[in-house]
Amino acid sequence: MKAIAYTRFGDAEVMSLQELPDPLIGPDHVLVDVRAAGVNPVDCKIRAGYLQGLLPHHLPLIPGWDVAGVVRAVGVGVYDWKPGDEVLAYARKDHVQFGTCAESVSVPDRMIARKPSTVDFVTAGALPLAGLTALQSLKATGIGSGDVVLVHAAAGGVGHLQVQIARELGASRVIGTASPRNHDFVRSLGAEPVAYGDALVDAVAEIVGGDGLVDVVVDNAGGLAFDQSLQLVRDRARMTSIVDGARARENGVVNTWARPDAGQTQWLVDLVAAGKLRVEVQQTFPLAEAVKAHKLLEGGHVRGKVVLTV
């Protein structure tokens, strides 16, 4: 099969399109012919070598944890899936080596959800990791009916989904930080946009009124936004950060790392099919142009997601 791979860590240029052996199919695995693979910031961090101390890595390494595609074959212990099924998954395995930026990938069946026929492959391929990060981080705050929620980086891959999911989980108001050029987009998702910067605390307090505090904060930005959030959240136990785990733990904030969950993935994609969750894809690239996709993502300011098509 053709796959994007690299044999050393570094910048985007270490990646290339290579001919590699087809994946093996374990007894509880499903072989998926890839149609779309979302590109996420973590893919760039892995490629740069930043996660070597966290997960076992093996070279040559095929990047990618998001996949949407068609089942080609199933392992001997798989009974719920059959060739021809259209599926999606957050396919993060215990070892980092055989990712989804390839013509085919072997995925544990416990990670797989069924793609509704009304959801296209690009949308499905963009959803799993960002969607699960958005959902699980919100659930970690105990979000409930009537909560006022502050979402940082509300136009980004995770943030734009959090805005909508927060509403689905009962939030009465959602405030989203974004650059001014994305305020109309954030507003279209159901949030009240507010600009980043030194004036954020006062701006949010003015929007909220009363004591100027919010019930829930989900931090996808870190840095100054993290510090400001400590001043804005009513209870730090209801603030979560996906950016800086060490600082989160030091300050009594929940640090979240998305876990594969087929049931939650199914819930998310069914929301998409029902027209209740919009997945914004800024740009798609063919598999062979993965270097361009990584460079775009690393440049910042991406609205929603970037996806590779196969």
Side-chain angles (χ1 to χ4, degrees), residues 135-185:
L135 175 59
Q136 292 173 10
S137 59
L138 284 165
K139 283 184 170 291
T141 69
I143 188 173
S145 178
D147 280 337
V148 177
V149 179
L150 173 63
V151 175
H152 286 292
V158 173
H160 88 286
L161 299 174
Q162 277 170 332
V163 166
Q164 302 169 77
I165 295 168
R167 286 289 197 182
E168 193 68 24
L169 296 178
S172 62
R173 297 177 72 183
V174 181
I175 300 163
T177 65
S179 59
R181 69 183 181 88
N182 283 318
H183 280 194
D184 285 344
F185 171 63

Coordinates of all heavy atoms in Angstrom, one line a residue, residues 135-185:
L135 N -16.1 16.5 23.4 CA -17.1 15.9 24.3 C -16.6 15.5 25.6 O -17.1 15.8 26.7 CB -17.7 14.7 23.6 CG -18.7 13.8 24.4 CD1 -19.9 14.7 24.8 CD2 -19.2 12.6 23.5
Q136 N -15.4 14.8 25.7 CA -14.9 14.3 26.9 C -14.4 15.4 27.8 O -14.5 15.3 29.1 CB -13.8 13.3 26.6 CG -14.3 12.0 26.0 CD -13.3 11.0 25.5 OE1 -12.1 11.2 25.8 NE2 -13.7 10.0 24.8
S137 N -13.9 16.5 27.2 CA -13.4 17.6 28.1 C -14.6 18.3 28.7 O -14.6 18.7 29.9 CB -12.6 18.6 27.3 OG -13.3 19.1 26.2
L138 N -15.7 18.4 28.0 CA -16.9 19.0 28.5 C -17.5 18.1 29.6 O -17.9 18.6 30.7 CB -17.9 19.3 27.4 CG -17.7 20.5 26.5 CD1 -18.5 20.4 25.3 CD2 -17.9 21.8 27.3
K139 N -17.5 16.9 29.4 CA -18.1 15.9 30.4 C -17.2 16.0 31.7 O -17.7 15.8 32.8 CB -18.2 14.5 29.9 CG -19.4 14.3 28.9 CD -19.5 12.9 28.5 CE -20.8 12.6 27.7 NZ -21.9 12.7 28.6
A140 N -15.9 16.2 31.5 CA -15.0 16.2 32.7 C -15.3 17.4 33.6 O -15.0 17.4 34.8 CB -13.6 16.3 32.2
T141 N -16.0 18.4 33.1 CA -16.4 19.6 33.9 C -17.7 19.4 34.6 O -18.1 20.2 35.4 CB -16.5 20.9 33.1 OG1 -17.6 20.7 32.2 CG2 -15.2 21.1 32.2
G142 N -18.4 18.3 34.3 CA -19.7 18.1 34.9 C -20.8 19.0 34.3 O -21.7 19.4 35.0
I143 N -20.6 19.4 33.1 CA -21.5 20.4 32.4 C -22.9 19.9 32.5 O -23.2 18.7 32.4 CB -21.0 20.6 30.9 CG1 -21.9 21.7 30.3 CG2 -21.2 19.3 30.1 CD1 -21.4 22.1 28.9
G144 N -23.8 20.8 32.7 CA -25.2 20.5 32.9 C -26.1 21.6 32.5 O -25.7 22.7 32.0
S145 N -27.4 21.4 32.6 CA -28.4 22.4 32.2 C -28.2 23.7 32.9 O -28.0 23.8 34.1 CB -29.8 21.8 32.6 OG -30.8 22.7 32.2
G146 N -28.2 24.8 32.1 CA -28.1 26.1 32.6 C -26.7 26.7 32.8 O -26.6 27.9 33.1
D147 N -25.7 25.9 32.5 CA -24.3 26.4 32.7 C -24.0 27.4 31.7 O -24.4 27.4 30.5 CB -23.3 25.2 32.6 CG -23.2 24.4 33.9 OD1 -23.6 24.9 34.9 OD2 -22.8 23.2 33.8
V148 N -23.2 28.4 32.1 CA -22.5 29.4 31.2 C -21.1 28.9 31.0 O -20.3 28.6 31.9 CB -22.5 30.8 31.9 CG1 -21.8 31.8 30.9 CG2 -23.9 31.3 32.1
V149 N -20.8 28.7 29.7 CA -19.5 28.0 29.3 C -18.6 29.0 28.5 O -19.1 29.7 27.6 CB -19.8 26.7 28.5 CG1 -18.5 26.1 28.1 CG2 -20.7 25.8 29.3
L150 N -17.3 29.0 28.9 CA -16.4 29.7 28.1 C -15.5 28.7 27.3 O -14.8 27.8 28.0 CB -15.5 30.6 29.0 CG -14.3 31.3 28.4 CD1 -14.8 32.3 27.3 CD2 -13.4 32.0 29.4
V151 N -15.4 28.8 26.0 CA -14.6 28.0 25.2 C -13.5 28.8 24.5 O -13.8 29.8 23.8 CB -15.5 27.3 24.0 CG1 -14.6 26.5 23.1 CG2 -16.6 26.4 24.6
H152 N -12.3 28.4 24.8 CA -11.1 29.1 24.2 C -10.8 28.5 22.8 O -10.9 27.3 22.6 CB -9.9 29.0 25.1 CG -10.0 29.9 26.3 ND1 -9.9 31.3 26.2 CD2 -10.1 29.7 27.6 CE1 -10.0 31.8 27.4 NE2 -10.1 30.9 28.3
A153 N -10.4 29.3 21.9 CA -10.1 28.9 20.5 C -11.4 28.3 19.9 O -11.3 27.1 19.4 CB -8.9 27.9 20.5
A154 N -12.4 29.0 20.0 CA -13.7 28.5 19.6 C -13.9 28.3 18.1 O -14.9 27.7 17.7 CB -14.8 29.4 20.1
A155 N -13.0 28.8 17.3 CA -13.1 28.5 15.8 C -12.2 27.4 15.4 O -12.2 27.0 14.2 CB -12.7 29.8 15.1
G156 N -11.4 26.8 16.3 CA -10.5 25.8 16.0 C -11.1 24.4 15.8 O -12.4 24.2 16.0
G157 N -10.3 23.4 15.6 CA -10.8 22.1 15.3 C -11.6 21.5 16.5 O -12.7 20.9 16.3
V158 N -11.1 21.6 17.7 CA -11.8 21.2 18.9 C -12.9 22.2 19.3 O -14.0 21.8 19.6 CB -10.9 20.9 20.0 CG1 -11.6 20.5 21.3 CG2 -9.9 19.7 19.7
G159 N -12.5 23.4 19.4 CA -13.3 24.5 19.9 C -14.7 24.6 19.2 O -15.7 24.8 19.8
H160 N -14.7 24.6 17.9 CA -15.9 24.8 17.1 C -16.9 23.7 17.4 O -18.1 23.9 17.3 CB -15.7 25.0 15.7 CG -15.6 23.8 14.8 ND1 -14.5 22.9 14.8 CD2 -16.5 23.3 13.9 CE1 -14.8 22.0 13.9 NE2 -15.9 22.1 13.4
L161 N -16.4 22.5 17.7 CA -17.3 21.4 18.1 C -17.7 21.5 19.6 O -18.9 21.2 19.9 CB -16.6 20.0 17.9 CG -16.1 19.7 16.5 CD1 -15.3 18.5 16.4 CD2 -17.4 19.6 15.5
Q162 N -16.9 22.0 20.4 CA -17.2 22.2 21.8 C -18.4 23.2 22.0 O -19.3 23.0 22.8 CB -16.0 22.7 22.6 CG -15.1 21.6 23.1 CD -13.8 22.1 23.7 OE1 -13.3 23.2 23.3 NE2 -13.2 21.3 24.5
V163 N -18.3 24.2 21.2 CA -19.4 25.2 21.3 C -20.8 24.6 21.1 O -21.7 24.8 21.8 CB -19.2 26.3 20.2 CG1 -20.4 27.2 20.0 CG2 -18.0 27.2 20.6
Q164 N -20.8 23.7 20.0 CA -22.1 23.1 19.7 C -22.5 22.0 20.6 O -23.6 21.8 21.0 CB -22.0 22.5 18.2 CG -21.7 23.6 17.2 CD -21.3 23.0 15.9 OE1 -22.2 22.5 15.1 NE2 -20.0 22.9 15.6
I165 N -21.5 21.2 21.1 CA -21.8 20.1 22.0 C -22.2 20.6 23.3 O -23.1 20.1 24.0 CB -20.5 19.2 22.1 CG1 -20.3 18.5 20.7 CG2 -20.7 18.1 23.2 CD1 -19.0 17.8 20.7
A166 N -21.6 21.7 23.8 CA -22.0 22.4 25.0 C -23.5 22.7 25.0 O -24.2 22.5 26.0 CB -21.2 23.6 25.3
R167 N -23.9 23.2 23.9 CA -25.4 23.5 23.8 C -26.2 22.2 23.9 O -27.2 22.2 24.5 CB -25.6 24.2 22.5 CG -25.2 25.6 22.4 CD -26.1 26.5 23.3 NE -25.9 27.9 22.9 CZ -26.6 28.9 23.6 NH1 -27.4 28.6 24.5 NH2 -26.4 30.1 23.2
E168 N -25.7 21.2 23.2 CA -26.4 19.9 23.2 C -26.5 19.3 24.6 O -27.4 18.6 24.9 CB -25.7 18.9 22.2 CG -26.5 17.7 21.9 CD -27.7 18.0 21.1 OE1 -27.8 19.0 20.4 OE2 -28.7 17.1 21.1
L169 N -25.5 19.6 25.4 CA -25.4 19.0 26.8 C -26.1 19.9 27.8 O -26.1 19.7 29.0 CB -24.0 18.8 27.2 CG -23.2 17.8 26.4 CD1 -21.8 17.7 26.8 CD2 -23.9 16.4 26.4
G170 N -26.7 21.0 27.3 CA -27.6 21.8 28.2 C -27.1 23.2 28.6 O -27.8 23.9 29.4
A171 N -26.0 23.6 28.1 CA -25.5 24.9 28.4 C -26.5 26.0 28.0 O -27.1 25.9 26.9 CB -24.1 25.2 27.8
S172 N -26.7 27.0 28.9 CA -27.6 28.1 28.5 C -26.9 29.1 27.7 O -27.6 29.8 26.9 CB -28.2 28.7 29.8 OG -27.1 29.3 30.6
R173 N -25.6 29.3 27.9 CA -24.9 30.3 27.1 C -23.5 29.8 26.9 O -22.9 29.1 27.8 CB -24.8 31.7 27.9 CG -26.1 32.4 28.1 CD -25.8 33.7 28.9 NE -25.2 34.7 28.1 CZ -24.9 35.9 28.6 NH1 -25.0 36.2 29.9 NH2 -24.3 36.8 27.8
V174 N -22.9 30.1 25.7 CA -21.6 29.7 25.4 C -20.9 31.0 24.9 O -21.4 31.6 24.0 CB -21.5 28.6 24.3 CG1 -20.0 28.2 24.1 CG2 -22.2 27.4 24.8
I175 N -19.7 31.3 25.5 CA -18.9 32.4 25.1 C -17.6 31.8 24.4 O -17.0 30.9 25.0 CB -18.5 33.3 26.3 CG1 -19.8 33.8 26.9 CG2 -17.6 34.4 25.8 CD1 -19.6 34.4 28.3
G176 N -17.3 32.3 23.3 CA -16.1 31.7 22.6 C -15.1 32.7 22.2 O -15.4 33.7 21.6
T177 N -13.8 32.4 22.6 CA -12.7 33.3 22.2 C -12.3 33.0 20.8 O -12.2 31.8 20.4 CB -11.5 33.3 23.2 OG1 -11.0 32.0 23.1 CG2 -12.0 33.5 24.6
A178 N -12.0 34.0 20.0 CA -11.6 33.9 18.6 C -11.1 35.2 18.1 O -11.4 36.2 18.7 CB -12.8 33.4 17.8
S179 N -10.3 35.1 17.1 CA -9.8 36.4 16.4 C -11.1 37.0 15.8 O -12.0 36.4 15.4 CB -8.8 36.1 15.4 OG -9.3 35.2 14.4
P180 N -11.0 38.4 15.7 CA -12.2 39.1 15.1 C -12.7 38.5 13.8 O -13.9 38.5 13.5 CB -11.7 40.5 15.0 CG -10.7 40.6 16.1 CD -10.0 39.3 16.2
R181 N -11.8 38.1 12.9 CA -12.2 37.6 11.6 C -13.1 36.3 11.7 O -13.8 36.0 10.7 CB -10.9 37.3 10.7 CG -10.1 36.1 11.2 CD -8.9 35.9 10.3 NE -8.1 34.7 10.8 CZ -8.3 33.5 10.3 NH1 -9.2 33.3 9.5 NH2 -7.6 32.5 10.8
N182 N -13.0 35.6 12.8 CA -13.8 34.4 13.0 C -15.1 34.7 13.9 O -15.8 33.7 14.2 CB -13.0 33.3 13.6 CG -12.0 32.7 12.6 OD1 -12.4 32.4 11.5 ND2 -10.8 32.4 13.0
H183 N -15.3 35.9 14.3 CA -16.5 36.1 15.2 C -17.8 35.8 14.5 O -18.7 35.2 15.2 CB -16.5 37.6 15.6 CG -15.5 37.8 16.7 ND1 -15.5 39.0 17.5 CD2 -14.5 37.1 17.2 CE1 -14.5 38.9 18.4 NE2 -13.9 37.8 18.2
D184 N -18.0 36.1 13.3 CA -19.2 35.7 12.6 C -19.4 34.2 12.6 O -20.5 33.6 12.8 CB -19.3 36.3 11.2 CG -19.6 37.8 11.2 OD1 -20.0 38.3 12.2 OD2 -19.4 38.4 10.1
F185 N -18.3 33.5 12.3 CA -18.3 32.0 12.3 C -18.7 31.5 13.7 O -19.6 30.6 13.8 CB -17.0 31.5 11.9 CG -16.8 30.0 12.0 CD1 -17.6 29.1 11.3 CD2 -15.9 29.5 12.9 CE1 -17.5 27.7 11.4 CE2 -15.7 28.1 13.0 CZ -16.5 27.2 12.3

